[in-house]
Amino acid sequence: MGFAMPPTRIAADSGYTGGMLRDGPRDAYRPAELEAKWQRLWEERGTYRPSDTALRAAARPFYNLMMFPYPSAEGLHVGNMYAFTGADIYGRWRRMQSDDVFEPIGFDAFGIHSENFALKVGTHPMDLIPKNVANFTRQLKRSGAMYDWSRTVDTTDPRYYKWTQWIFIQLLNRGLAYKQKAAVNWCPFDKTVLANEQVINGACERCGTAVEQRFLEQWFFRITDYASRLLENLDWIDWSDSTKNAQRNWIGRSDGAEIVFDAERGRRNEEAAIPVFTTRADTIFGATYLVLAPEHPLVDSLTAEARRADVAAYVERTKRQDLTTRKSVEAREKTGVFTGAFARNPATGDAIPIWIADYVLMEYGTGAIMAVPGHDERDFEFATKYGLPIVRVVAEDEARADAPLEAPFTDNERGVIVHSAQFDGLTVPEAKQRIVAWLEAAGTAKPVVHYRLHDWCISRQRYWGPPIPIIYCDDCGMQAVPEKDLPVVLPFVKDFRPDDTGISPLARHEEWYRVPCPECGRMGRRETDVSDTFLDSAWYFLRYPSTEFDDRPFDAARTRRWLPVTSYIGGNEHAVLHLLYSRFITMVLNELGHVDFEEPFKKFRAHGMIIREGAKMSKSRGNVVVPDEYIREWGADAFRTYLMFLGPFEEGGDFRDRSISGVRRFLDRLWTTVLERREDGAAEPQVMRKLHQTIKKVGDDIPRLGYNTAVAAMMEYMNVLRAGERRAHRTEVEPLVQLVAPFAPHIAEELWERLGHDRGIFESGWPAYDESLAAEETIELVVQVNGKVRGRLHVPPNITKEEALAAALADEGIRKFVSGEPRKVVFVPGRLINIVGV
RNA sequence: GCCCGGGUGGCGAAACCGGUAGACGCGGGGGACUUAAAAUCCCCUGGGGGCAACCCCAUGUCGGUUCGAGUCCGGCCCCGGGCACCA
């Protein structure tokens, strides 16, 4: 037991009287009141709701998208608000540039997260989700973003998921959706399959439980058909490099060759061709054995009679092992077994043994490899363990052609080919080409590209998702639910708990799954799996501009005007999930003629991660920033501005409680400075110079998301405005209020109104930058002697080299470092002069 | 292991194309106002030396290029993220 520490924050009724005017406290800056006022007015006036006319005919459409949140019971996370604020500032700024900004928001409310939480607290998702959505809506409105609340999307709304199901059917009709029994990732805690993208280091992305391998009938989307296009388009789309990089890694292209090895002797003395995939065809003369994956279809027929028992036992053993163990990097000694069969190396003509080993995976390439222990780590390890021959076919140089291999030589750039007949002396890249061409001529090889990307497993044996719109009929087989019967509504069932059978909870509800076959009318059975949440979010951005239409997923004219999305800002945690799936679905819709673009997001920027006091935020640490509390304390404007100030937006930063006071003080000063302005007389040229420099800086920083430095620039200007005892002039403060507006929209609106404007500040345009007003009269010229700073001169900006040198040498403090004739003088106009060699 | 980021004061961070390192803010110290505290306002605040003008050192580390390097090149060490028995 101990005493609770008193809160260090300043309570709403404390003596904090920031923003108090010189003539008394009666008109102090009170964000809570003022923000409520403007949020009410924005809503009443429909400030951020483009009229239907505008949606149809916007002259300068700007679709400003942010990743719609999953409405958790915990409420809006500061990470959400960080991302949304960064996007909102961009949108507000574009609006002040007279763009027609459409900034919608919605809720990604289906999925295991909600369902697990509902199970935990013993409530039903259909009761839980509307409450969470209401809470999120309240929080989002309080945060001061310019959302169009007339066009929200909720993925759990049948009006929405009707079209999610429609998309499934489009893919099915196109042959891009298929059902297959396959080894899949099974999460024993969540009791469902997971997509590869949802397995992190062999564990479930959601709950962290180790994933098991199961063989189940699952629905897949053929995203692999699009691998090359998904990869190639990355070269031209305007996305953050970090995101593109993650996608490239995930798609995992490798260029190589498929080479056929003929088996020499099988159990029934059968001939068999074994294609292997390799990226190192140049090393084929060093291929001393073949390895097949234990699941390889030829294993059974190839195995020699005498080896059958051993092979069968080995295959059985690996089958029992789950995928996680088998793929985990650490602690895995390679194991394998000889089949008793041999294959002919097409390059050397030698008979080489065929082995089976678990380090070869059926799911990649052809499920078989040619092992080159001299030049591959894994093959080397395996060959050493089982005493297989190791041959050197690449060397640092020809003199070292016979140097013993203590370790595999794997450098595939440097090196020269040896012991490879007519190819000796070639470089590795040359040999790759020439050997493939040679084998190709003989009909035993062809160049091939393989991708690491797998087809997208979209079925989930859970309740809280859109039912997959399929009906099975004993007579007619599998039937898509006809479009007129969509949506297949997710029924309210009390018992939605998943079980360990690998069958969806919906399969326990006969009254729901028994339906007539759409083809013959006899009783059939619905598909009882639901689809992955990531299918819901793979197309939501297409829906926003068309939310009022119930007879189409997205209106053609609306879509032409508003899409692709102009600017998308979100987290990199979705780099290979949502962002890849959205691209895939868009490509398919494009091929089917539903949209006329194949990339959904013209521009995407990934924001950074926000940590707190140097540590990751997490519920278990108890250091999660709850936006509500901070907004109550400091106001939404101060909170927004602080989030943007704490670090570079694309890199994230460290949230420090105490630092918020800095931006709050800035807003307080803005408040008093504007209200205490004078109208008479003229602005000071020095102040106007700084103002125009600030206009330039902020205008340059916002489009590159340099929000932290934009805020710093405004603070600097504020310091200039307030230097000394003077009161600022109207023309000095008015543009500053406009610059602040994207960051702190409420206070900006209020001050704008108090400055006597009757139209809102977001209709006021963006202050114009005047270069002639920004120009300095004198500059500080740095004087270096031999590269060391020895003085500073205040000189006219257009000073010449000769004048600068003369001025420098005339300076007593500088001349004492100059003892003779300069050997060289470096002059950077407007910057510095460097006197060298004295 | 491969591919991206990143390492700068007590702290969060600035620094355009190689040209004054530390803008802006937090924290800290001092002062003004106040009976007092809070709030507000003013000054100082990288380290070391000097009475002072000033001087020396300093951007993870070692080297290089350059008149000049936080920035460019090479090696190494840490931190964050992506990929990974992927042939």
Side-chain angles (χ1 to χ4, degrees):
Chain A
M1 283 294 272
F3 296 102
M5 290 299 287
T8 53
R9 293 180 254 102
I10 297 157
D13 57 352
S14 75
Y16 185 88
T17 52
M20 190 160 71
L21 294 182
R22 283 175 218 193
D23 51 4
R26 45 174 205 287
D27 206 12
Y29 170 43
R30 279 188 284 269
E33 279 168 34
L34 178 162
E35 289 172 4
K37 167 187 162 182
W38 284 100
Q39 282 163 16
R40 198 186 66 241
L41 285 175
W42 289 335
E43 198 152 345
E44 282 170 17
R45 294 176 186 170
T47 311
Y48 305 125
R49 198 164 60 232
S51 63
D52 286 353
T53 322
L55 267 181
R56 270 196 304 274
R60 303 178 56 177
F62 188 99
Y63 190 167
N64 193 41
L65 186 67
M66 45 199 94
M67 290 179 171
F68 67 160
Y70 145 70
S72 68
E74 293 84 34
L76 190 73
H77 186 267
V78 68
N80 296 129
M81 198 168 147
Y82 183 66
F84 297 164
T85 303
D88 182 62
I89 288 169
Y90 197 62
R92 286 182 177 276
W93 175 70
R94 293 305 297 230
R95 180 168 176 143
M96 290 178 82
Q97 316 263 320
S98 307
D99 278 351
D100 299 300
V101 177
F102 176 46
E103 186 173 301
I105 192 76
F107 301 98
D108 188 15
F110 264 140
I112 294 175
H113 239 113
S114 318
E115 197 181 317
N116 284 352
F117 186 83
L119 285 167
K120 196 173 108 191
V121 301
T123 167
H124 194 281
M126 283 189 184
D127 298 327
L128 176 75
I129 289 299
K131 282 184 201 146
N132 292 356
V133 166
N135 185 40
F136 260 69
T137 303
R138 178 189 61 75
Q139 290 181 297
L140 288 166
K141 286 186 174 174
R142 185 69 190 84
S143 77
M146 55 179 283
Y147 299 123
D148 176 357
W149 286 102
S150 70
R151 294 183 169 274
T152 59
V153 154
D154 174 348
T155 55
T156 66
D157 183 344
R159 285 184 59 226
Y160 179 83
Y161 70 71
K162 169 181 178 176
W163 301 111
T164 308
Q165 293 169 337
W166 175 85
I167 285 173
F168 175 90
I169 291 168
Q170 304 311 301
L171 272 94
L172 183 75
N173 293 342
R174 185 78 179 179
L176 294 170
Y178 64 95
K179 199 174 192 189
Q180 197 174 66
K181 190 158 188 166
V184 291
N185 309 296
W186 173 265
C187 172
F189 180 83
D190 287 332
K191 298 185 172 40
T192 185
V193 301
L194 302 170
N196 285 308
E197 288 83 344
Q198 288 164 325
V199 180
I200 312 293
N201 289 329
C204 172
E205 175 203 41
R206 304 220 171 263
C207 63
T209 312
V211 168
E212 297 168 358
Q213 178 177 227
R214 282 203 176 185
F215 279 87
L216 293 170
E217 284 260 319
Q218 298 293 340
W219 282 98
F220 290 90
F221 281 172
R222 283 187 209 282
I223 192 171
T224 51
D225 283 7
Y226 293 79
S228 64
R229 204 157 10 133
L230 288 166
L231 189 69
E232 280 156 23
N233 285 5
L234 291 175
D235 291 341
W236 59 266
I237 56 178
D238 178 16
W239 283 28
S240 290
D241 287 336
S242 54
T243 316
K244 293 208 238 184
N245 191 44
Q247 292 210 352
R248 284 198 185 98
N249 282 340
W250 186 261
I251 296 166
R253 178 186 167 115
S254 46
D255 286 274
E258 231 168 75
I259 302 175
V260 177
F261 284 67
D262 288 319
E264 284 224 310
R265 178 167 73 77
R267 196 170 83 215
R268 292 179 290 271
N269 255 359
E270 280 168 349
E271 289 284 318
I274 306 169
V276 305
F277 177 67
T278 181
T279 56
R280 293 299 306 273
D282 55 298
T283 61
I284 190 165
F285 285 84
T288 53
Y289 61 103
L290 287 193
V291 189
L292 308 188
E295 305 89 341
H296 197 285
L298 288 175
V299 168
D300 191 46
S301 62
L302 280 173
T303 303
E305 203 57 53
R307 304 288 309 143
R308 289 204 70 191
D310 285 356
V311 169
Y314 183 75
V315 169
E316 199 45 48
R317 187 143 39 90
T318 32
K319 204 179 277 175
R320 271 201 305 274
Q321 236 176 25
D322 55 64
L323 267 174
T324 322
T325 332
R326 182 151 160 210
K327 284 186 171 184
S328 76
V329 186
E330 306 88 28
R332 91 212 130 169
E333 170 116 1
K334 289 179 185 25
T335 59
V337 63
F338 178 45
T339 59
F342 290 84
R344 188 161 294 280
N345 181 325
T348 61
D350 294 344
I352 56 174
I354 303 172
W355 283 64
I356 292 168
D358 61 356
Y359 79 95
V360 173
L361 307 172
M362 195 58 223
E363 61 195 66
Y364 188 76
T366 60
I369 61 153
M370 64 175 209
V372 185
H375 305 285
D376 181 277
E377 302 271 1
R378 299 150 300 183
D379 297 343
F380 185 88
E381 188 191 324
F382 191 80
T384 308
K385 178 171 174 182
Y386 291 102
L388 291 154
I390 300 171
V391 175
R392 183 194 272 277
V393 290
V394 186
E396 287 89 332
D397 52 62
E398 271 160 300
R400 278 181 271 188
D402 294 306
L405 282 159
E406 315 266 295
F409 180 73
T410 56
D411 194 329
N412 63 4
E413 295 282 300
R414 277 173 289 275
V416 52
I417 301 296
V418 296
H419 301 304
S420 299
Q422 69 269 39
F423 301 101
D424 285 0
L426 293 179
T427 66
V428 167
E430 281 168 355
K432 268 186 198 174
Q433 274 205 343
R434 299 267 295 271
I435 290 179
V436 174
W438 175 61
L439 292 171
E440 205 175 358
T444 53
K446 57 173 195 254
V448 177
V449 174
H450 274 291
Y451 296 94
R452 225 186 47 80
L453 186 69
H454 288 53
D455 275 345
W456 174 15
C457 173
I458 60 119
S459 42
R460 296 289 179 275
Q461 293 68 47
R462 297 287 298 228
Y463 168 68
W464 194 234
I468 291 173
I470 291 288
I471 294 167
Y472 301 98
C473 169
D474 286 342
D475 300 316
C476 315
M478 190 176 81
Q479 299 291 320
V481 172
E483 195 177 322
K484 67 173 170 54
D485 295 337
L486 294 179
V488 177
V489 176
L490 180 70
F492 177 90
V493 299
K494 230 176 133 83
D495 173 23
F496 62 91
R497 188 169 294 273
D499 60 30
D500 203 40
T501 56
I503 298 168
S504 161
L506 289 173
R508 297 194 295 260
H509 297 274
E510 198 180 342
E511 69 290 354
W512 178 76
Y513 71 67
R514 279 174 63 85
V515 281
C517 166
E519 194 64 27
C520 67
R522 275 189 288 270
M523 199 46 82
R525 188 181 194 283
R526 284 193 190 283
E527 169 64 65
T528 55
D529 284 359
V530 299
S531 61
D532 183 5
T533 328
F534 280 101
L535 182 58
D536 304 330
S537 58
W539 76 281
Y540 76 107
F541 47 91
L542 291 168
R543 182 66 182 167
Y544 280 135
S546 302
T547 46
E548 75 268 46
F549 299 105
D550 280 326
D551 59 344
R552 63 201 100 161
F554 37 88
D555 178 69
R558 290 281 171 82
T559 304
R560 255 198 311 281
R561 186 162 300 271
W562 289 97
L563 284 124
V565 168
T566 324
S567 166
Y568 196 15
I569 288 177
N572 247 347
E573 68 274 15
H574 288 120
V576 293
L577 292 158
H578 161 63
L579 288 170
L580 192 67
Y581 296 149
S582 298
R583 295 182 59 215
F584 161 62
I585 293 294
T586 304
M587 280 178 191
V588 173
L589 292 173
N590 172 252
E591 264 181 13
L592 293 169
H594 294 296
V595 298
D596 59 8
F597 46 89
E598 62 176 60
E599 286 293 337
F601 315 121
K602 241 186 271 184
K603 176 173 166 181
F604 173 78
R605 289 293 176 274
H607 64 253
M609 281 254 295
I610 163 160
I611 57 171
R612 187 181 186 186
E613 314 278 342
K616 250 187 187 164
M617 272 185 242
S618 70
K619 262 189 287 181
S620 54
R621 273 202 195 82
N623 66 345
V624 175
V625 172
V626 180
D628 293 36
E629 294 170 13
Y630 288 85
I631 290 175
R632 202 181 315 122
E633 298 283 333
W634 303 98
D637 282 339
F639 190 59
R640 285 168 59 101
T641 309
Y642 175 61
L643 287 175
M644 297 302 106
F645 182 61
L646 57 74
F649 186 64
E650 288 174 278
E651 285 165 41
D654 194 358
F655 190 102
R656 306 233 156 204
D657 280 30
R658 279 193 298 208
S659 300
I660 308 177
S661 58
V663 286
R664 173 58 195 267
R665 271 198 272 267
F666 167 68
L667 295 179
D668 288 335
R669 288 173 191 153
L670 177 71
W671 180 261
T672 53
T673 307
V674 172
L675 295 190
E676 291 179 346
R677 73 187 179 277
R678 64 197 163 81
E679 304 279 346
D680 56 304
E684 259 181 65
Q686 274 176 25
V687 176
M688 290 308 279
R689 198 175 300 134
K690 185 69 180 175
L691 169 64
H692 279 270
Q693 290 167 358
T694 307
I695 292 172
K696 170 137 175 64
K697 173 80 176 147
V698 174
D700 287 349
D701 281 353
I702 291 178
R704 43 163 278 265
L705 309 182
Y707 297 141
N708 55 334
T709 49
V711 173
M714 293 187 281
M715 287 173 164
E716 265 185 73
Y717 178 57
M718 175 66 69
N719 291 341
V720 170
L721 266 184
R722 291 173 64 88
E725 284 295 287
R726 66 187 292 275
R727 291 194 169 200
H729 192 263
R730 161 182 285 266
T731 54
E732 295 168 349
V733 297
E734 213 159 40
L736 174 62
V737 176
Q738 290 173 298
L739 297 184
V740 167
F743 296 85
H746 313 85
I747 189 176
E749 286 273 27
E750 178 70 21
L751 291 172
W752 195 248
E753 187 182 71
R754 289 181 183 223
L755 281 160
H757 299 279
D758 45 13
R759 297 189 64 196
I761 193 166
F762 292 97
E763 320 307 320
S764 73
W766 187 249
Y769 164 63
D770 185 333
E771 199 174 348
S772 64
L773 289 175
E776 294 284 357
E777 278 171 356
T778 62
I779 52 145
E780 202 175 62
L781 188 78
V782 172
V783 182
Q784 294 183 342
V785 179
N786 290 328
K788 289 200 169 190
V789 179
R790 296 299 184 185
R792 297 169 174 87
L793 298 172
H794 290 273
V795 296
N798 56 356
I799 191 168
T800 65
K801 185 175 177 179
E802 289 69 28
E803 288 165 348
L805 181 60
L809 293 175
D811 187 287
E812 197 50 48
I814 294 164
R815 205 173 42 210
K816 69 180 181 198
F817 294 98
V818 183
S819 52
E821 270 306 295
R823 189 164 52 80
K824 182 176 174 186
V825 176
V826 179
F827 180 66
V828 184
R831 283 248 163 218
L832 67 66
I833 183 164
N834 188 5
I835 304 166
V836 187
V838 288

